[in-house]
């Protein structure tokens, strides 16, 4: 749509031009004339303003609450009508024009408002209905409560009435019994001694009462009286005393027996009604075994409602059912590598304070939230009388072990290339020898001529494929050499023929013996004129490495990495040794192996160099590597080419791990990512628990007492180390941790792989630490923190430079040592008195030189009596700076006048000596 004028727009929307100009002004666009052009953008802006104003703008959910809920439109329409008016008499009618104005007012309400009002009305009706229902329910409850209260009052009144009736019956029975007793006494007094012959009123005699000594039995049959049986309430009955066995009663007449049974039945009914209430059942619910006290406790009502739960669950004896165990309970407590004190207490069902007390008795200071190791936990459990058992292994680890074992057992083993590790002293030509074999120039690019990490290569030789591992020779890389010896099949010990056996040579021999791998000695630098192979053989023979030509079993091969002499013989020796060992591995199956080296690349992420030992590692496999896991995104060989798979004894670089693994960690290919993630998580948790246990070991009582005895004189130099590969980090941490003495120690607060980041700089600033970057640099954000806090950052590429610099920094913490050195001794020969200087000693310098600006001591009988300064040193009235041995001088001691003949004046000076480690 092209631009149009405001007048044309007003005609299109059927709106006056003045009103349209007003709306444009409200929308922030000012137009003054109707013939001005308005663009499409301005028209869309006006439309948006009108929609927002009338509540129709944008998303309905995001509409402003302040938008109008309804609008009212007022319309006014003007029209004219002509009305005919009659004229006068004889005149014609005329037409009159009348103006008619129609005003209309309409109100429009938003549909959402109508829906909201309908919803509010529905909610109001629902709330009103619920209120009526609740009121009705409350009224029903009140009515039911009133009825229940009325029934309870009626039952209480009937119970009281029944009690009064029973009391009246008992009183009536008691009076009747008294009257019968009186009548019987009167009858006994009136009856003659001989028994009457008249027939009694009752044809059958009643049962005879038991005979009682000293009491004459009354025969009531002659009186025609039947005495009723009065039954007392069962609760008031007492156990009668033991009496002699009664005589066998005579058979009772039928009417008397019926009357007795009726009376007995009535009495039982009354007793049941008295005990249980009207209509109650005494033996309900099969509780025939309950005593009266138990029934009363069960029937008791503590308040309104049902009987108490405790009274319902009480046993028949009326006491609780808990009984104390007669013997101590011995539980089996599972023990893991790390155990929290609170968890141990819960497993043993004892209080945590008991476990803490037992630990204190053992000398371990641990709280309830700290972790203890397996041995300590076992001792605590046995001390508290329980049985420790080993905790079950993790399910994920067990599944992984079963998966790896089944893969090794099911696969068919085939011959594999040998893995050869090159070891030896620094600068003996290890990397140069391997460089000649590979036909490359690896050694030329190494800083300081020192290999900083394990290099892994597989080489195609005329004798077959051989995998070489190049290890560093510096003393700090002991862990790397030990790891290389553990991974290898054959160790090639490189010894310079012109240098002989050195410390790292001895260490390499020890590593090879510990790993139980065969040893081949390469006598390097044989092209030099001062080469002495016999000297090398003698030195190795002292280490029990005997050459074959001396009757031993170790092959010695003279080589030269510079000229290539003996390289073929060395490869032949390696091939022969590999054939003897018959090296085999499973080729088809999931891969497993070990991490040789790892690093953090800025563009590729975590990178690990792994050596495959079993199976075939393929691209896309899921791998668990220590506490890290991931999917293999790429496999790269030592030349930088991407490969699809790697078999046994082949080293490759892998990409795709979740983090940087530690050198020496095992890696295993698993079926899916879920198992890999679960195994990595469990290993991470176990490593964290182990770290907590190692931290808690420092809380032993003897360690704390030892630290208290040392005092606080030791100073600490904090260092943060970042390196390019994991092996260098490990070597630096170990080498720097060994620097220090009783006055100062080096503390490596953090060490990691990769560049120096902002978080590293922040940690160093908080810990006041020295930052060391080994073949890495700080990024831009880290440099800002370093500059802001004034941190000391030092970059290195040679490891012995790092050790020397840290030793110097640690020595700076030691400060300087002030030593006193005696430079001259003068003997007092005569004492003179001076009005200006007081006592002046005439002396002869007998040793060294006496200087004027140096401190002195006055010795008498080899005992220091004064220490101060020289006030004046003169020779023949001249003020001199020094007097040499064998010359006389006059000495005035400042603020000391008690100089005597025979004293010695010792002149000394203080020298500051920097202390070193």
């Amino acid at each position: 749509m092209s631009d149009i004028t405001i007048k044309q727009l007003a005609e299109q929307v059927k709106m006056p031009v003045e009103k349209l100009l007003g709306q444009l002004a409200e929308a922030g666009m000012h137009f003054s004339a109707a013939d001005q052009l308005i663009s499409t953008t301005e028209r869309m802006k006006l439309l948006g303003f009108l929609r927002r104003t009338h509540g129709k703008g944008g998303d309905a959910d995001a509409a402003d609450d302040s938008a109008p809920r309804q609008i009212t439109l007022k319309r006014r329409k003007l029209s004219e009508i002509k009305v005919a008016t009659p004229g006068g008499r004889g005149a014609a009618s005329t037409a009159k024009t009348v103006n008619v104005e129609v005003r209309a007012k309409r109100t429009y309400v938003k549909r959402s408002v109508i829906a909201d009002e309908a919803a509010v009305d529905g909610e109001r009706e629902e709330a009103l209905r619920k209120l009526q229902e609740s009121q009705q329910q409350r009224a029903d409850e009140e009515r039911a409560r009133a009825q229940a209260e009325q029934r309870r009052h009626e039952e209480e009144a009937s119970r009281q009435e029944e009690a009064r009736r029973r009391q009246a019956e008992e009183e009536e029975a008691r009076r009747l019994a008294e009257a019968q007793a009186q009548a019987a006494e009167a009858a006994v007094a009136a009856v003659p001694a001989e028994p009457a012959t008249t027939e009694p009123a009752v044809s059958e005699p009643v049962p005879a009462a038991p005979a009682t000594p000293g009491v004459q039995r009354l025969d009531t049959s002659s009186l025609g009286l039947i005495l009723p049986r009065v039954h007392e309430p069962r609760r008031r009955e007492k156990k009668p005393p033991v009496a002699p066995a009664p005589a066998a009663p005579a058979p009772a007449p039928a009417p008397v027996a019926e009357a007795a049974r009726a009376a007995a039945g009535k009495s039982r009914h009354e007793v049941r009604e008295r005990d249980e209430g009207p209509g109650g059942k005494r033996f309900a619910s099969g509780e025939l075994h309950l005593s009266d006290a138990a029934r009363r406790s069960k029937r008791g009502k503590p308040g309104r409602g049902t009987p108490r739960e405790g009274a319902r669950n009480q046993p028949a004896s009326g006491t609780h059912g808990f009984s104390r165990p007669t013997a101590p309970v011995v539980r089996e407590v599972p023990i893991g590598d790390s155990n929290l004190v609170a968890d141990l207490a819960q497993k043993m069902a004892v209080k945590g304070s008991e476990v803490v007390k037992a630990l204190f008795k053992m000398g371990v200071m641990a709280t309830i939230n700290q972790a203890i190791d397996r041995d300590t936990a076992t001792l605590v459990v046995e001390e508290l009388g329980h049985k420790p058992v080993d905790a079950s292994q993790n399910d994920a680890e067990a599944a992984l072990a079963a998966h790896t074992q089944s893969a090794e057992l099911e696969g068919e083993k085939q011959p594999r290339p040998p893995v050869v590790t090159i070891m030896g002293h620094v600068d003996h030509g290890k990397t140069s020898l391997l460089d000649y074999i590979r036909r490359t120039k690896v050694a030329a690019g190494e800083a300081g001529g020192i290999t900083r990490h394990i290099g892994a290569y597989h080489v195609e030789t005329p004798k077959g494929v051989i995998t070489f591992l190049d290890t560093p020779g510096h003393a700090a890389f002991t862990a790397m050499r030990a790891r290389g010896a553990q991974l290898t099949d054959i160790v090639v010990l490189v010894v310079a023929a012109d240098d002989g056996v050195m410390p790292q040579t001895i260490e390499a021999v020890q590593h090879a013996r510990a790993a139980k791998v065969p040893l081949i000695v390469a006598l390097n630098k044989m092209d030099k004129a001062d080469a002495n192979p016999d000297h090398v053989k003698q030195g190795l023979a002292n280490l029990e490495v005997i050459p074959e030509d001396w009757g031993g079993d170790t092959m010695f091969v003279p080589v030269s990495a510079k000229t290539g002499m003996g390289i073929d013989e060395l490869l032949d020796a390696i091939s022969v040794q590999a054939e003897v060992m018959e090296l085999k591995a499973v080729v088809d199956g999931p891969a497993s192996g070990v991490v040789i080296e790892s690093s953090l690349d800025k563009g590729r992420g975590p990178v690990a160099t792994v050596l495959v030992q079993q199976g075939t590692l393929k691209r896309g496999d899921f791998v668990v590597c220590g506490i890290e896991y991931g999917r293999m995104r790429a496999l790269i060989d030592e030349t930088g080419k991407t490969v699809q798979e790697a078999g046994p004894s082949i080293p490759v670089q892998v990409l795709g791990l979740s983090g940087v693994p530690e050198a020496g960690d095992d890696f295993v290919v698993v079926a899916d990512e879920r198992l890999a993630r679960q195994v990595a998580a469990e290993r991470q948790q176990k490593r964290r628990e182990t770290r907590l246990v190692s931290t808690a070991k420092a809380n032993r009582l003897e360690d704390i007492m030892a630290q208290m005895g040392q005092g606080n004189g030791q100073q600490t130099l904090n260092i943060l180390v970042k390196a390019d590969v994991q092996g260098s980090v490990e070597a630096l941490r170990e080498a720097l941790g060994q620097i220090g003495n009783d006055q100062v120690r080096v503390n490596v607060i953090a060490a990691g792989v990769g560049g120096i980041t902002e978080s590293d700089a922040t940690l160093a600033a908080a810990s006041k630490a020295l930052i060391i970057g080994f073949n890495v640099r700080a990024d831009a954000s880290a440099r800002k923190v370093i500059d802001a806090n004034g941190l000391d950052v030092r970059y290195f590429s040679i490891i012995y430079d790092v050790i020397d610099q840290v030793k110097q920094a640690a020595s700076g913490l030691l400060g300087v040592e002030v030593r006193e050195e005696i430079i001259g001794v003068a003997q007092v020969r005569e004492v003179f008195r001076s009005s200006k200087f007081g006592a002046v000693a005439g002396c002869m310098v007998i040793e060294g030189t006496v200087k004027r600006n140096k401190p002195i001591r006055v010795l008498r009988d080899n005992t220091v009596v004064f220490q101060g300064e020289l006030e004046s040193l003169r020779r023949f009235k001249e003020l001199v700076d020094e007097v040499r041995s064998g010359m006389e001088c006059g000495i005035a001691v400042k603020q000391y006048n008690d100089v005597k003949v025979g004293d010695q004046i010792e002149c000394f000076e203080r020298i500051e000596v920097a202390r070193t480690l």
Side-chain angles (χ1 to χ4, degrees):
M1 184 182 294
S2 60
D3 296 344
I4 60 176
T5 61
I6 295 177
K7 183 177 181 182
Q8 293 174 353
L9 180 60
E11 292 177 356
Q12 290 179 2
V13 299
K14 298 180 180 180
M15 181 184 295
V17 177
E18 292 79 6
K19 185 174 183 180
L20 180 58
L21 289 174
Q23 290 180 352
L24 287 172
E26 293 176 357
M29 296 174 289
H30 301 284
F31 293 90
S32 58
D35 55 352
Q36 289 183 351
L37 295 178
I38 180 170
S39 63
T40 304
T41 304
E42 293 171 340
R43 291 199 298 272
M44 294 302 297
K45 183 177 179 181
L46 175 62
L47 180 60
F49 169 74
L50 295 177
R51 286 184 175 180
R52 289 192 303 271
T53 305
H54 296 288
K56 298 181 180 180
D59 190 2
D61 296 334
D64 189 7
D65 293 339
S66 61
R69 302 168 63 90
Q70 63 183 16
I71 59 174
T72 301
L73 300 180
K74 297 180 180 180
R75 301 285 181 124
R76 186 179 63 175
K77 186 177 181 181
L78 297 176
S79 61
E80 296 179 353
I81 60 174
K82 292 183 178 181
V83 181
T85 57
R89 180 178 300 177
S93 60
T94 61
K96 182 179 181 182
T97 302
V98 180
N99 293 327
V100 179
E101 180 180 352
V102 180
R103 295 181 181 179
K105 180 179 180 181
R106 293 184 181 181
T107 301
Y108 298 91
V109 183
K110 294 175 65 175
R111 294 183 181 271
S112 59
V113 174
I114 299 174
D116 293 342
E117 292 178 354
V120 170
D121 294 339
E123 292 177 358
R124 187 181 296 107
E125 294 178 358
E126 181 67 20
L128 183 59
R129 184 182 61 80
K130 290 183 178 180
L131 178 61
Q132 293 177 353
E133 291 179 356
S134 62
Q135 291 177 352
Q136 183 66 27
Q137 184 177 1
R138 191 179 300 108
D140 295 341
E141 291 177 356
E142 291 292 338
R143 191 181 303 106
R145 191 179 298 110
Q147 293 176 358
E149 187 71 19
Q150 184 178 1
R151 286 195 299 272
R152 189 177 64 82
H153 286 304
E154 292 177 355
E155 292 175 358
E156 185 68 24
S158 62
R159 191 179 298 110
Q160 292 177 0
E161 182 65 26
E162 183 67 21
R164 287 195 296 270
R165 186 182 63 78
R166 286 199 301 270
Q167 185 177 3
E169 289 178 356
E170 292 175 0
E171 185 67 23
E172 183 66 24
R174 186 178 60 77
R175 288 198 302 270
L176 180 60
E178 290 177 357
Q180 288 176 354
Q182 292 176 3
E185 291 177 0
V188 169
V191 172
E194 295 297 330
T197 57
T198 58
E199 291 293 330
V202 181
S203 61
E204 294 182 7
V206 297
T212 303
V215 178
Q216 184 179 4
R217 187 175 67 86
L218 174 63
D219 188 3
T220 57
S221 58
S222 60
L223 301 176
L225 299 174
I226 299 177
L227 300 179
R229 295 176 61 186
V230 179
H231 296 273
E232 292 294 330
R234 185 177 297 274
R235 288 177 295 180
R236 299 179 182 177
E237 289 180 353
K238 296 183 179 180
K239 187 176 181 181
V242 179
V256 177
E258 286 293 326
R261 282 195 294 273
K266 180 178 180 182
S267 300
R268 284 196 299 271
H269 178 69
E270 292 172 358
V271 171
R272 183 169 65 251
E273 286 186 347
R274 183 179 66 250
D275 290 344
E276 302 298 327
K281 292 185 178 181
R282 178 181 175 184
F283 304 120
S285 304
E287 297 177 354
L288 299 178
H289 62 288
L290 295 180
S291 63
D292 293 338
R295 285 196 302 273
R296 285 195 301 270
S297 64
K298 182 175 180 64
R299 198 165 56 243
K301 297 181 180 179
R304 298 182 62 182
T306 57
R308 293 193 306 257
E309 188 68 22
R312 184 184 299 113
N313 296 331
Q314 285 181 354
S317 60
T319 60
H320 60 74
F322 174 77
S323 59
R324 187 174 184 179
T326 57
V329 179
V330 179
R331 293 178 171 83
E332 293 186 353
V333 181
I335 303 297
D337 293 335
S338 176
N339 308 272
L340 287 177
V341 176
D343 294 342
L344 279 181
Q346 184 178 5
K347 293 174 183 177
M348 293 185 290
V350 298
K351 293 182 178 180
S353 58
E354 297 292 335
V355 183
V356 174
K357 186 187 299 182
L359 288 172
F360 265 78
K361 291 180 180 179
M362 295 169 55
V364 179
M365 301 181 65
T367 62
I368 196 172
N369 295 322
Q370 288 183 349
I372 56 178
D373 57 356
R374 180 188 293 272
D375 297 336
T376 306
T378 302
L379 294 176
V380 169
V381 171
E382 292 177 351
E383 179 71 19
L384 295 178
H386 298 279
K387 181 180 179 181
V389 296
D390 290 336
S392 60
Q393 298 294 330
N394 295 328
D395 296 337
E397 288 286 354
L400 181 62
H403 172 72
T404 306
Q405 185 176 6
S406 63
E408 292 180 357
L409 295 177
E410 294 175 0
E412 180 181 358
K413 292 187 177 182
Q414 300 178 9
R416 65 174 177 84
V419 179
V420 181
T421 299
I422 309 295
M423 303 179 69
H425 192 70
V426 63
D427 200 26
H428 275 202
K430 300 180 297 297
T431 308
S432 299
L433 180 63
L434 184 60
D435 174 51
Y436 188 88
I437 296 174
R438 297 178 59 232
R439 296 292 193 275
T440 57
K441 298 295 181 181
V442 176
E446 293 179 353
I450 298 178
T451 301
R452 300 179 301 279
H453 53 82
I454 296 179
Y457 323 95
H458 74 280
V459 180
E460 295 283 350
T461 66
K463 306 297 181 182
V465 179
I466 301 176
T467 298
F468 287 97
L469 301 180
D470 186 15
T471 61
H474 194 273
F477 295 95
T478 302
M480 286 191 183
R481 288 190 293 275
R483 186 163 58 247
Q486 295 293 333
L487 301 177
T488 189
D489 300 319
I490 302 172
V491 171
V492 175
L493 179 62
V494 178
V495 185
D498 62 340
D499 199 4
V501 177
M502 301 301 288
Q504 271 64 59
T505 307
I506 301 174
E507 182 184 312
V509 173
Q510 295 174 352
H511 288 322
R513 286 178 178 171
K516 297 180 181 181
V517 293
L519 187 67
I520 298 176
V521 179
L523 298 174
N524 196 17
K525 301 183 181 181
M526 290 296 294
D527 57 325
K528 287 190 174 183
D530 56 348
N532 188 0
D534 293 335
H535 175 67
V536 176
K537 292 180 180 180
Q538 184 61 45
L540 292 175
N542 296 333
L543 301 176
E544 298 181 359
V545 180
I546 311 299
E548 288 181 339
D549 53 352
W550 286 15
D553 56 353
T554 304
M555 289 184 287
F556 279 63
V557 182
V559 297
S560 174
K562 185 175 182 180
T563 62
M565 181 191 71
I567 299 298
D568 294 336
E569 289 79 2
L570 179 62
L571 296 178
D572 290 339
I574 294 173
S575 300
V576 170
Q577 187 65 49
E579 290 178 2
V580 173
M581 298 176 68
E582 296 182 355
L583 303 173
K584 293 183 178 181
V586 177
V587 178
D588 298 330
S592 62
V594 67
V595 177
I596 299 175
E597 194 58 85
S598 60
S599 61
L600 182 63
D601 191 273
K602 187 174 183 181
R604 299 183 298 175
V607 179
T609 303
V610 300
L611 176 66
V612 181
Q613 295 177 329
Q614 297 284 344
T616 301
L617 180 62
K618 301 179 182 179
R619 180 181 178 183
D621 289 343
F622 292 100
V623 173
V624 177
C625 186
I627 61 174
E628 309 297 340
Y629 70 96
R631 187 174 185 179
M632 299 296 94
R633 294 190 288 109
L635 305 180
I636 305 172
D637 62 3
E638 66 272 8
T639 62
K641 297 180 180 179
T642 303
V643 295
Q644 296 298 322
E645 61 182 22
S649 301
I650 302 299
V652 290
Q653 284 187 342
V654 297
L655 306 180
L657 294 175
S658 59
V660 180
E662 293 187 2
D665 286 346
D666 296 332
F667 79 89
V668 179
V669 175
V670 296
D672 53 2
E673 187 179 2
R674 183 189 60 81
L675 180 59
R677 184 185 295 108
Q678 187 175 359
V679 172
E682 290 180 357
R683 289 180 179 178
Q684 178 72 22
Q685 179 66 21
K686 187 175 181 180
R687 183 170 298 185
R688 177 180 175 273
E689 292 177 354
T690 304
R691 185 168 61 251
L692 290 176
V693 170
S694 63
T695 305
K697 286 183 178 179
N699 293 330
R700 294 187 177 274
L701 185 60
E702 53 269 20
D703 298 337
I704 295 177
M705 298 301 293
Q707 294 176 4
M708 292 175 61
Q710 292 178 358
N712 298 326
Q714 191 178 33
Q715 300 186 35
T716 302
L717 174 62
N718 294 327
I719 294 180
L720 187 145
V721 178
K722 295 300 289 292
D724 55 343
V725 293
Q726 186 69 34
S728 299
V729 172
E730 183 180 359
L732 286 170
R733 184 192 292 115
E734 182 179 359
L736 296 179
Q738 296 175 357
I739 300 175
N741 54 17
D742 296 338
Q743 285 80 28
V744 64
R745 69 182 183 92
V746 176
N747 180 28
V748 181
I749 60 172
V753 177
I756 302 172
T757 61
E758 183 180 0
S759 60
D760 297 330
T762 305
L763 176 60
S767 305
K768 298 180 180 180
L770 169 67
I771 302 177
I772 291 179
F774 193 77
N775 291 323
V776 295
R777 296 294 182 267
D779 56 16
S781 58
R783 286 195 296 269
K784 292 181 181 179
V785 178
I786 292 171
D787 295 338
N789 295 275
L791 300 179
D792 188 4
V793 183
R794 303 185 184 184
Y795 300 113
F796 302 93
S797 58
I798 304 174
I799 190 168
Y800 49 71
D801 290 343
V802 179
I803 298 174
D804 294 341
Q805 290 283 340
V806 173
K807 281 185 178 180
Q808 293 179 6
S811 300
L813 293 179
L814 293 175
V816 295
E817 180 181 358
V818 179
R819 297 179 182 177
E820 294 182 355
E821 184 177 356
I822 299 174
I823 60 176
V825 178
Q827 188 175 15
V828 179
R829 300 291 178 89
E830 189 65 42
V831 178
F832 304 95
R833 299 292 175 179
S834 172
S835 59
K836 183 178 180 181
F837 301 105
V840 177
C843 303
M844 172 69 73
V845 180
I846 60 176
E847 181 181 347
T849 303
V850 177
K851 297 182 179 181
R852 184 176 61 177
N853 296 325
K854 302 295 181 182
I856 63 167
R857 295 190 185 95
V858 179
L859 283 73
R860 186 173 299 162
D861 298 331
N862 294 326
T863 303
V864 178
V865 296
F866 179 77
Q867 181 173 347
E869 299 178 1
L870 284 179
E871 187 174 6
S872 175
L873 177 64
R874 293 178 179 270
R875 178 172 172 77
F876 299 113
K877 298 184 180 181
E878 294 181 2
L879 188 65
V880 295
D881 293 333
E882 63 179 27
V883 178
R884 299 182 182 274
S885 176
M887 302 176 66
E888 295 180 348
C889 63
I891 298 176
V893 181
K894 188 176 183 178
Q895 297 180 355
Y896 185 71
N897 295 322
D898 192 18
V899 182
K900 296 182 180 180
V901 178
D903 291 348
Q904 289 184 350
I905 299 177
E906 183 180 80
C907 183
F908 64 94
E909 63 180 357
R910 294 183 174 91
I911 302 175
E912 294 183 353
V913 179
R915 290 186 290 181
T916 59
L917 295 174

